[in-house]
Amino acid sequence: MEKNIEIIEFDPILFFGVNNEKFDLIKMYFPKLKINARGTELKLSGSEVEVERFVSSYQNMVKFYGKFKRLTKANIERILEEGETTDLWTDEEVLVYGNHGKQIKPITPNQRKMVKLASKNDMIFAIGPAGTGKTYTAVAMAVKALKAKQVKRIILTRPAVEAGESLGFLPGDMKDKLDPYMQPLYDALRDMFPPEKLKDLIEDGIIQIAPLAFMRGRTLDKAFVILDEAQNATESQFRMFLTRMGKSAKFIITGDATQVDLPGKQKSGLRKTLRLLDKVNGVGQIFLDDKDVVRHPLVKEIIKAYEKADELKNEKSDGSAKRN
């Protein structure tokens, strides 16, 4: 089947993007469809089902632009991922307004799924590679809950695991030694609070940032708790941490199973914990991937390169095991 579409509803650059970056993204979602562009005209060639699917997606883009007067790469990806869903036609939900009125909101399909999942479950695991915004989104949700008085405090924690460097050689007291490990959490909070306000919240204990080991013996009531870099928590640490959950608490656990920094023979407890809690009611799991990377475009390519190398390594290991 062949069909031509004339782009007349908006400036074609909104559809094609700079250096055809949007057009290339769109074509990725239709690998079985031949799509050629000539000026402002699109020529489609393929099965009837694929052509109709493309036409439907294009019409949704037109509809979205008509309502919001914009059509970004993220908008297009969301339309292609979700289609004509109810919440697509409301503007993206702002979680919080940060410094200088900055709108902080989920910007990828999986980040939006993460927010929805957290609204339905008291504990969620958000697992994915670096740069997918899982920690930043989690902190934004925590700040939103605090401002709405849904919780009385925010507790942010990480395992203090050395990634090739030793704590003992860092200068200063224990706080000075540990602060660099907590820096990503401070960075996120600084986007969401003025410096003096953040300082007061930390001094008053309303926002607490501490290593995972410091959670032992506590009961975390009426708190929004985030465990970051969870791949560096052992099985026993997971058991300790998850059982700290008090009344009216929300727990978000973020991690990247491909970047374990535990020394020696210590094993990460992340995969086992995900498996154990997979069917537990009230616990949700979301897995982000390279499509959710919001850092420099090269980060996405770097992640893909490492994933490909890991796949080849696993294939060789499987082949060697079969021969033996």
Side-chain angles (χ1 to χ4, degrees):
M1 180 179 181
E2 292 187 353
K3 186 176 182 66
N4 294 343
I5 296 176
E6 186 74 24
I7 302 174
I8 57 175
E9 294 86 359
F10 39 64
D11 186 340
I13 194 68
L14 283 170
F15 180 84
F16 292 110
V18 178
N19 297 324
N20 281 337
E21 62 175 2
K22 294 180 184 176
F23 187 45
D24 290 341
L25 170 68
I26 292 166
K27 288 194 291 186
M28 283 174 55
Y29 280 84
F30 297 90
K32 297 179 181 179
L33 193 62
K34 188 175 181 180
I35 310 170
N36 291 321
R38 293 179 181 175
T40 61
E41 186 179 68
L42 297 174
K43 185 174 182 180
L44 313 177
S45 179
S47 69
E48 184 176 352
V49 171
E50 287 297 295
V51 170
E52 288 179 354
R53 189 165 73 90
F54 183 93
V55 171
S56 176
S57 295
Y58 179 79
Q59 289 171 346
N60 282 338
M61 293 179 210
V62 172
K63 181 179 178 182
F64 187 92
Y65 178 77
K67 183 165 186 177
F68 299 115
K69 302 303 177 190
R70 69 172 187 274
L71 192 63
T72 67
K73 194 173 177 181
N75 297 149
I76 290 173
E77 189 165 15
R78 185 179 181 189
I79 291 166
L80 294 171
E81 289 272 355
E82 301 179 25
E84 192 170 359
T85 57
T86 304
D87 67 337
L88 177 61
W89 309 110
T90 59
D91 205 1
E92 289 93 340
E93 181 188 3
V94 176
L95 292 172
V96 291
Y97 288 91
N99 292 330
H100 311 296
K102 178 182 179 181
Q103 293 185 353
I104 297 171
K105 55 190 176 183
I107 58 176
T108 73
N110 279 331
Q111 285 178 12
R112 283 186 288 275
K113 288 176 185 176
M114 178 179 167
V115 173
K116 287 182 186 177
L117 197 65
S119 70
K120 297 174 183 176
N121 297 275
D122 286 335
M123 180 183 294
I124 73 163
F125 289 78
I127 310 302
T132 50
K134 53 192 184 294
T135 301
Y136 196 82
T137 303
V139 172
M141 284 192 280
V143 172
K144 180 182 180 182
L146 182 67
K147 289 186 174 182
K149 299 186 189 285
Q150 295 170 351
V151 296
K152 290 187 175 180
R153 53 188 171 156
I154 295 172
I155 298 172
L156 309 174
T157 185
R158 275 182 154 202
V161 174
E162 301 152 354
E165 299 174 67
S166 176
L167 275 171
F169 290 100
L170 293 173
D173 58 20
M174 183 57 73
K175 182 180 182 303
D176 293 329
K177 292 175 184 289
L178 291 169
D179 272 355
Y181 288 87
M182 307 296 142
Q183 199 60 50
L185 302 173
Y186 284 113
D187 290 343
L189 288 168
R190 288 190 185 105
D191 269 2
M192 301 173 202
F193 289 108
E196 287 304 314
K197 177 67 174 175
L198 178 58
K199 182 181 177 184
D200 290 342
L201 289 170
I202 292 174
E203 287 181 353
D204 293 341
I206 296 171
I207 294 178
Q208 301 172 22
I209 305 176
L212 179 58
F214 288 24
M215 298 297 108
R216 190 173 296 278
R218 301 184 65 182
T219 299
L220 306 177
D221 289 323
K222 296 179 181 178
F224 200 115
V225 186
I226 299 171
L227 169 58
D228 193 32
E229 297 289 339
Q231 74 276 4
N232 289 328
T234 63
E235 186 180 334
S236 62
Q237 285 177 322
F238 259 111
R239 190 169 185 172
M240 176 274 292
F241 171 74
L242 296 178
T243 54
R244 301 306 93 204
M245 194 174 197
K247 296 176 182 177
S248 302
K250 179 82 75 175
F251 272 39
I252 295 185
I253 298 95
T254 67
D256 176 3
T258 67
Q259 292 192 353
V260 177
D261 300 312
L262 286 166
K265 296 182 179 180
Q266 290 189 53
K267 288 180 64 177
S268 170
L270 179 58
R271 292 186 188 277
K272 182 175 181 179
T273 303
L274 288 169
R275 189 171 64 252
L276 287 174
L277 303 183
D278 184 35
K279 304 297 182 184
V280 175
N281 190 35
V283 178
Q285 297 182 10
I286 177 76
F287 295 88
L288 297 91
D289 54 36
D290 58 89
K291 290 185 184 131
D292 299 295
V293 171
V294 292
R295 292 180 184 168
H296 192 286
L298 274 176
V299 174
K300 184 181 291 189
E301 299 306 316
I302 290 166
I303 290 169
K304 286 181 180 178
Y306 274 100
E307 286 177 347
K308 188 174 181 179
D310 288 340
E311 287 173 7
L312 289 171
K313 183 179 178 182
N314 291 334
E315 286 174 5
K316 288 180 180 178
S317 297
D318 292 342
S320 176
K322 287 177 181 178
R323 286 193 297 273
N324 293 331

